[in-house]
Amino acid sequence: MRHFIGIIKDNLTLSKLTLFSNPTTSYLHIAVLRTTSHSPSTPPNDHHLATILSLGDSSRATASTIIHSLITRLHRTSNSLVALKCLLTIHHIIKRGPFILKDHLRTIRSTNGRNNLKLSSFRDGSSPATWALSAWVWWYACYIETILYTTKNMDFDIYSSLIEKEKRRDLILSCMNSDLIRDVGLLVGVIEEICKVPDNLLVEKDRLVRGVMELLGNDYLSMVNEILVRLSEFKERVGLLSFDDSVELASVLDRLTGCKEKLLRLFSVKKISVENLWEMIEELDRKIGVGGVSQLGLVTGL
């Protein structure tokens, strides 16, 4: 019955948009509605997502309307499925959307430097299943806020193409130690947020949640690759690190190591890059142990 009512709501909204909305923008609102429908618990249709991304590349006015429509729908809905689809759509825009669409997404009002999707009070108590999905909505909004914050503060797109990443490798060589440590810390922050994902039992039962986890798995590997590049540079500089740099780097590596157990449970597929990351962390720990971790313990009395 709830699913049936949701379909009726979508059809009524489509009718209103067709009859009463500004014809120059109604098709954009319709595209958002179709992508984030009340239909069963499945990820947004690939065709509808492609339409959103394509339309968002046409002009700044169009991109602004799409983002405004998407955020408005996210804030007005009390349906956990619609909310998750809105967040999934935003995630896809961040990962593979055109620049102007991403740029308008960054204009969401921020609090304390972080984009604020304002979903901490979201509740869908219509059933035990939707109540459980509400926890995913809260967490997913926080995760997307973290991604937006990280991208903004690293001054580059963490989802950039392989060619762009290769060009960036040369820039990393000229970065100061403090900048590299800051970047690794921000990337580790994304991984820490991944590890806060709600109870994984829903993953096997809910296709929408599985869609979220698939994007998370890809994000995790992207973070691993970005961290590896920077740790490889630290491997070359380890003998030149100051005491303060050693302490900060050791602290960041410790945060990442603290995520290892949860990450192994979340993502069971073995990747060479992941194995290389844990090996490099152990190697760096050994190399900076005397100058970094051990001295940190002496200073703090640990």
Side-chain angles (χ1 to χ4, degrees):
M1 179 61 70
R2 186 169 185 265
H3 168 52
F4 182 67
I5 292 173
I7 292 176
I8 292 176
K9 285 182 178 179
D10 285 345
N11 288 333
L12 286 173
T13 305
L14 280 172
S15 298
K16 288 179 181 178
L17 287 171
T18 302
L19 294 173
F20 304 114
S21 294
N22 184 336
T24 61
T25 59
S26 61
Y27 72 100
L28 300 174
H29 298 296
I30 290 172
V32 169
L33 180 64
R34 286 175 173 165
T35 307
T36 61
S37 67
H38 285 78
S39 59
S41 185
T42 56
N45 181 280
D46 287 341
H47 172 71
H48 292 154
L49 276 173
T51 299
I52 291 283
L53 299 181
S54 176
L55 289 171
D57 200 23
S58 57
S59 71
R60 286 198 165 272
T62 299
S64 177
T65 300
I66 289 174
I67 295 301
H68 180 265
S69 180
L70 188 57
I71 297 300
T72 299
R73 183 155 172 80
L74 175 61
H75 286 163
R76 288 181 178 175
T77 188
S78 59
N79 185 292
S80 56
L81 300 183
V82 173
L84 279 175
K85 287 182 181 182
C86 288
L87 292 170
L88 265 168
T89 302
I90 292 172
H91 199 167
H92 278 287
I93 290 173
I94 296 170
K95 287 177 69 70
R96 56 193 181 96
F99 172 78
I100 55 176
L101 200 56
K102 293 180 182 180
D103 195 42
H104 279 283
L105 187 57
R106 297 188 186 104
T107 63
I108 299 173
R109 183 179 296 178
S110 61
T111 303
N112 297 325
R114 287 185 178 272
N115 294 80
N116 187 4
L117 293 176
K118 300 179 182 177
L119 292 179
S120 58
S121 61
F122 181 89
R123 300 288 188 279
D124 183 352
S126 54
S127 72
T130 58
W131 181 260
L133 282 175
S134 295
W136 282 80
V137 173
W138 310 329
W139 165 81
Y140 201 16
C142 289
Y143 177 72
I144 288 175
E145 289 167 3
T146 301
I147 288 289
L148 289 169
Y149 175 81
T150 300
T151 301
K152 177 182 177 181
N153 284 275
M154 292 191 71
D155 298 323
F156 71 86
D157 190 348
I158 55 179
Y159 300 114
S160 55
S161 66
L162 290 175
I163 295 176
E164 292 171 328
K165 287 182 178 180
E166 286 299 325
K167 291 179 180 178
R168 200 158 61 240
R169 288 176 189 270
D170 295 333
L171 296 176
I172 289 174
L173 297 176
S174 60
C175 283
M176 297 178 62
N177 291 335
S178 57
D179 292 333
L180 287 180
I181 293 171
R182 178 207 62 195
D183 285 355
V184 174
L186 288 168
L187 294 166
V188 170
V190 175
I191 292 178
E192 288 175 325
E193 198 62 46
I194 290 176
C195 290
K196 296 176 184 177
V197 65
D199 192 339
N200 215 24
L201 292 176
L202 275 175
V203 175
E204 297 301 323
K205 301 177 182 179
D206 192 287
R207 289 178 60 189
L208 188 53
V209 172
R210 288 206 302 271
V212 173
M213 289 302 298
E214 287 176 8
L215 288 184
L216 283 186
N218 292 332
D219 283 2
Y220 170 47
L221 292 179
S222 294
M223 299 308 115
V224 166
N225 290 329
E226 291 290 350
I227 292 172
L228 265 176
V229 173
R230 288 160 179 80
L231 294 190
S232 295
E233 179 60 20
F234 275 123
K235 185 178 175 181
E236 300 298 321
R237 302 184 188 186
V238 67
L240 304 175
L241 292 177
S242 67
F243 170 74
D244 288 342
D245 288 338
S246 296
V247 170
E248 285 193 50
L249 179 58
S251 176
V252 172
L253 295 180
D254 187 58
R255 285 169 52 200
L256 185 52
T257 302
C259 297
K260 184 176 181 180
E261 185 177 344
K262 181 67 176 285
L263 291 169
L264 292 176
R265 290 201 306 269
L266 288 174
F267 310 109
S268 57
V269 179
K270 292 187 177 181
K271 294 286 185 178
I272 294 177
S273 58
V274 175
E275 294 177 0
N276 289 342
L277 175 65
W278 301 125
E279 290 175 1
M280 186 168 294
I281 289 174
E282 290 180 2
E283 183 176 353
L284 282 171
D285 272 340
R286 288 194 300 269
K287 289 185 175 181
I288 67 176
V290 174
V293 180
S294 297
Q295 290 190 38
L296 175 63
L298 289 173
V299 170
T300 59
L302 298 176

